């Protein structure tokens, strides 16, 4: 089974839209057809972003509904312990925790809309970087 780290932008897109590759990826995680990896820090970032007022307006979710969906996601995610940190690797320090999860979790892919931000550093660690649609194609079960 394929192991992926989902960038926060991908998780937010899945919450905001009922259609699209990001949503399908989360459905595959829920169905246990794809292993999503996250460190506690990355999961806390998911929560912080998804609870922002502007995110909830677009998703149409209440805080309780966001909590329910995050609980479901947490039960499907494989937690990653960060044993090694190779910082700095990226221009945006906020992205470092995403790369940390991918490297420490031995991810097959880091899924993001921000390919350019991750591609060079991820190659150093032999982690593929893909957009959600590319991940669906490449990571077929």
């Amino acid at each position: 089974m394929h192991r992926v780290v989902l960038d926060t932008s991908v998780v937010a897109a899945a919450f905001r839209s009922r259609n699209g590759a990001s949503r399908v990826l989360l459905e595959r995680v829920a169905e246990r057809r794809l292993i999503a990896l996250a460190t506690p820090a990355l999961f806390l970032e998911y929560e912080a972003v998804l609870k922002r007022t502007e995110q909830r307006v677009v998703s149409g979710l209440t805080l309780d509904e966001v909590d329910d969906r995050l609980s479901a996601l947490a039960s499907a995610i494989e937690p990653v312990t960060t044993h090694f940190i190779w910082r700095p690797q990226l221009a945006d320090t906020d992205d470092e925790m995403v790369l940390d999860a991918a490297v420490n979790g031995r991810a097959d892919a880091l899924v993001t809309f921000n390919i350019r931000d991750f591609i060079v550093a991820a190659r150093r660690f032999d982690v593929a970087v893909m957009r959600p649609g590319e991940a669906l194609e490449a990571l077929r079960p």
Side-chain angles (χ1 to χ4, degrees), residues 53-85:
T53 301
E54 62 272 17
Q55 290 288 338
R56 288 186 301 104
V57 166
V58 175
S59 71
L61 300 173
T62 66
L63 283 172
D64 286 340
E65 290 169 328
V66 171
D67 282 338
D68 289 346
R69 291 184 185 193
L70 282 169
S71 292
L73 180 58
S75 72
I77 282 181
E78 182 177 307
V80 173
T81 302
T82 305
H83 295 287
F84 299 101
I85 297 175

Side-chain angles (χ1 to χ4, degrees), residues 18 20-33:
R18 288 173 175 70
S22 297
R23 181 61 165 251
V24 175
L25 286 169
L26 276 192
E27 289 170 359
R28 292 213 177 138
V29 170
E31 296 163 354
R32 306 294 203 263
R33 294 172 51 203

Side-chain angles (χ1 to χ4, degrees), residues 99-117:
L99 182 64
D100 286 344
V103 174
N104 283 278
R106 298 174 326 279
D108 297 307
L110 187 159
V111 184
T112 183
F113 291 106
N114 307 315
I115 300 292
R116 188 172 41 122
D117 294 348

